């Protein structure tokens, strides 16, 4: 989770990391970030409490589809560096997305 470490080194403090497993991350980050399992992704995404979402996973099909974002405000900035993309193509058409 190099990105989480870089954010901390640059002074960011309100960081939430969502991962399939959190065991290794608890050791790496201790209490410096909020750690959640992958099952929390959609609820956190639609909670409207994030300015940015960075997605960096290896998946067979998108984790986030337009259905999850219907009637909700997505983060202002979404960055997807996953291969293949973790965001459905219609989500990628939304403004503020970098891929």
């Amino acid at each position: 989770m190099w990105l989480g470490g870089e954010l901390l080194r640059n002074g960011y403090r309100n960081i939430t990391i969502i991962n399939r497993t959190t065991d290794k991350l608890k050791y790496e980050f201790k209490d410096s970030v909020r750690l959640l399992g992958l099952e929390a992704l959609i609820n956190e995404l639609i909670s409207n409490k994030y300015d940015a979402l960075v997605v960096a996973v290896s998946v067979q099909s998108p984790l986030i589809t337009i259905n999850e974002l219907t009637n909700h405000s997505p983060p202002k900035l979404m960055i997807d560096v996953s291969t293949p993309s973790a965001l459905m193509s219609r989500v990628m058409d939304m403004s503020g997305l970098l891929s």
Side-chain angles (χ1 to χ4, degrees):
M1 293 264 75
W2 65 268
L3 182 58
E6 282 299 310
L7 290 170
L8 287 169
R9 277 189 286 286
N10 285 284
Y12 294 92
R13 294 292 173 247
N14 189 15
I15 301 169
T16 299
I17 296 177
I18 298 176
N19 200 38
R20 284 184 181 91
T21 60
T22 58
D23 294 341
K24 291 180 187 176
L25 298 176
K26 287 178 185 174
Y27 175 76
E28 183 177 346
F29 291 108
K30 300 186 179 30
D31 293 327
S32 59
V33 300
R34 184 172 169 237
L35 297 172
L36 298 172
L38 191 58
E39 67 280 354
L41 175 64
I42 299 304
N43 285 335
E44 289 295 308
L45 181 63
I46 63 175
S47 69
N48 201 26
K49 58 184 171 183
Y50 298 100
D51 292 327
L53 168 72
V54 178
V55 183
V57 296
S58 176
V59 293
Q60 297 301 318
S61 60
L63 288 175
I64 302 167
T65 67
I66 199 71
N67 294 337
E68 282 90 17
L69 298 179
T70 302
N71 299 320
H72 300 286
S73 297
K76 296 172 191 163
L77 176 66
M78 295 187 284
I79 302 170
D80 186 5
V81 295
S82 305
T83 305
S85 179
L87 302 176
M88 183 181 196
S89 60
R90 287 189 57 205
V91 173
M92 294 175 70
D93 292 338
M94 302 172 85
S95 63
L97 177 73
L98 301 176
S99 61

